[in-house]
Amino acid sequence: VRQNSADAIASYRAAPSIANAGATYALDYAAYRYFEDGSGLSVTHQILHIQSRDGLTQYGEISVPPHAVLLRARTIKADGRYLEPDDIAGKETVSAPNLEVGDFVEWEYLEVIPPRRARDATALGSRFYFQIVDVPMARSELIVDVPSIWSPLTLDTRAGGPSPEITHAGGRTRYRFSVEGSPPATQEVSAPDLAEVLPSVRYSHDIYWSDIIALFEDRALGSVRVTGALREHARALIEGAETQREAARRIYRFVVDEIEDTGGFLEQDPSWSLSTGEGERLTLLLGLLQAVELSPQVVFSRRWDSDQTDSPIPAVDDLPETAVRLVLPGGDVWLNVSDEYAPFDYIGPSLQGAGGLVVVGGDGSEPHWVTIPTWPVEMQEQQIELTLELDPEGNLTGRAEERVPAS
């Protein structure tokens, strides 16, 4: 499934020019080969024609994913010579040697695809785009090669992405998607999410939302460990609280006010965050709530201005926002641990009314979809007060004060 560089460049030169740009992809190619257990290998191969000095600056450094095996990284001169780069220890990128306008930059790398944890013989590909912003693409191609005993792949094709050419040989089935002569897309102000308007394809095999939920339940089980110290601290926080809602409010305010969030998702032991004052807020919040017998749920959702296209493929990256939900006798409580200024029981306007998937703390492995509520407009008010002073020399000084609703 590897491509011949000389043939790709010859085809590019023989084709009509697509658009004036700083650079053009002569080849944008990815091939995935899966084995029966769901493991596999992938090859990514790209050849970029440098057509301006801006292109030299922007594309002169080659980078590949951290665990990839670099197969090729080189400059192809306009006269056909190949120049290999020097290997510099400790340098994260590879510099294309003696790169000039009119030359080509080529890189190719191999990645190992481990079998998915949920079940054998499953596959989930990332979205492959046949058009990108600002850079024309002379040839863009995706190959997916799978065992013929697999059922047909599930495909999610967007915005006029190509249909596959399907062939069968040697006990394997190959799906080939190819587009030639894609002009550059333009990123406009307030335009829809590019995933909605750029031609693309995503594929999967035998993946269901129940698999995704089981994966995150396992991660939560491994990371959110309720220790004696955690339970003692949670009880101290809620001492005197007359309702579960008040207990939840106290725990939430402690987490967002006292813990510096260092990111992560269901990765860090909450006891570490509690003892150091920094770490992953989400696991600490879940642990403290569980320690006082409250049952939090983790909900994935997406903003109103993100891609809303329904997909036949269960993909959590289509639901990039995280919230915490508590089902209490007096009504649901919604929490946002990523914003330290967010009031208790409040989710910002961009997610209000959106659908969400419970991935941790649901009633089982079957998907449970919920709707994030809307809040009164008064809770969304922000007041900004400016006090400014202009001195005789024309210097402006002052202060700004922002007020948001308290929880």
Side-chain angles (χ1 to χ4, degrees):
V1 294
R2 296 181 67 182
Q3 299 293 293
N4 182 280
S5 306
D7 290 346
I9 292 174
S11 297
Y12 164 72
R13 290 191 184 279
S17 177
I18 304 169
N20 292 324
T24 297
Y25 276 103
L27 177 67
D28 177 40
Y29 176 84
Y32 296 81
R33 182 180 178 88
Y34 288 93
F35 306 108
E36 290 188 15
D37 66 349
S39 64
L41 298 170
S42 72
V43 171
T44 299
H45 189 178
Q46 294 174 306
I47 303 175
L48 192 66
H49 186 206
I50 305 300
Q51 296 167 289
S52 73
R53 297 194 64 82
D54 288 342
L56 289 174
T57 303
Q58 191 168 358
Y59 304 108
E61 293 292 321
I62 300 168
S63 61
V64 300
H67 301 294
V69 177
L70 187 61
L71 302 176
R72 270 188 278 196
R74 60 190 180 182
T75 297
I76 303 177
K77 301 297 288 182
D79 61 10
R81 289 178 295 130
Y82 296 100
L83 301 182
E84 305 290 340
D86 294 327
D87 187 9
I88 301 176
K91 192 171 184 289
E92 294 184 357
T93 60
V94 177
S95 299
N98 299 328
L99 188 63
E100 298 175 296
V101 175
D103 295 343
F104 294 82
V105 181
E106 178 185 27
W107 63 99
E108 182 185 23
Y109 57 86
L110 175 76
E111 293 181 277
V112 174
I113 304 170
R116 298 184 64 84
R117 290 173 54 188
R119 287 178 290 108
D120 286 345
T122 61
L124 178 62
S126 56
R127 185 161 295 281
F128 187 90
Y129 289 91
F130 298 89
Q131 185 182 31
I132 59 176
V133 173
D134 295 334
V135 184
M137 305 176 80
R139 176 179 154 214
S140 186
E141 184 171 330
L142 169 67
I143 301 289
V144 185
D145 189 88
V146 302
S148 292
I149 62 171
W150 282 15
S151 57
L153 295 179
T154 300
L155 302 177
D156 179 9
T157 304
R158 305 266 178 99
S163 298
E165 172 191 320
I166 304 175
T167 56
H168 306 273
R172 302 193 63 82
T173 300
R174 177 169 295 184
Y175 297 75
R176 178 179 178 267
F177 308 82
S178 184
V179 171
E180 295 183 357
S182 293
T186 301
Q187 178 81 68
E188 298 182 1
V189 177
S190 301
D193 190 297
L194 288 175
E196 296 184 61
V197 298
L198 296 183
S200 67
V201 168
R202 189 171 197 178
Y203 64 88
S204 72
H205 177 257
D206 206 25
I207 291 285
Y208 305 96
W209 279 119
S210 56
D211 299 322
I212 307 295
I213 293 168
L215 173 65
F216 286 109
E217 289 281 11
D218 286 347
R219 286 182 63 172
L221 188 63
S223 60
V224 184
R225 293 183 286 272
V226 180
T227 62
L230 205 68
R231 187 172 285 106
E232 181 179 347
H233 194 90
R235 289 172 177 169
L237 286 173
I238 69 168
E239 185 176 359
E242 296 183 356
T243 64
Q244 289 182 317
R245 181 182 176 87
E246 173 59 18
R249 189 195 69 80
R250 292 186 186 185
I251 290 173
Y252 173 74
R253 288 263 50 103
F254 167 76
V255 171
V256 297
D257 292 343
E258 304 298 332
I259 304 299
E260 180 181 350
D261 192 18
T262 58
F265 181 78
L266 298 179
E267 296 173 358
Q268 193 167 59
D269 190 325
S271 297
W272 169 264
S273 303
L274 183 64
S275 62
T276 62
E278 64 177 19
E280 186 185 335
R281 282 181 183 162
L282 177 61
T283 51
L284 179 58
L285 177 66
L286 298 178
L288 290 171
L289 291 171
Q290 290 178 11
V292 293
E293 299 183 357
L294 296 176
S295 301
Q297 298 176 344
V298 177
V299 177
F300 285 171
S301 187
R302 57 188 172 193
R303 297 163 52 99
W304 66 268
D305 58 349
S306 64
D307 182 10
Q308 302 293 317
T309 308
D310 290 331
S311 173
I313 295 176
V316 293
D317 48 2
D318 288 340
L319 303 170
E321 308 295 333
T322 302
V324 175
R325 176 187 184 226
L326 282 171
V327 180
L328 300 180
D332 292 358
V333 169
W334 289 85
L335 307 174
N336 174 11
V337 294
S338 61
D339 182 0
E340 61 185 301
Y341 300 111
F344 172 74
D345 190 17
Y346 177 77
I347 301 296
S350 63
L351 288 177
Q352 291 183 24
L357 175 68
V358 178
V359 295
V360 174
D363 297 329
S365 61
E366 291 305 310
H368 176 45
W369 294 88
V370 297
T371 300
I372 298 176
T374 58
W375 279 263
V377 68
E378 292 78 14
M379 290 197 65
Q380 303 173 40
E381 290 182 349
Q382 291 176 297
Q383 298 179 1
I384 300 177
E385 182 178 306
L386 298 176
T387 304
L388 304 174
E389 183 176 339
L390 184 66
D391 66 21
E393 287 75 30
N395 298 311
L396 185 68
T397 59
R399 62 189 295 270
E401 184 175 292
E402 181 179 4
R403 299 186 182 92
V404 295
S407 53

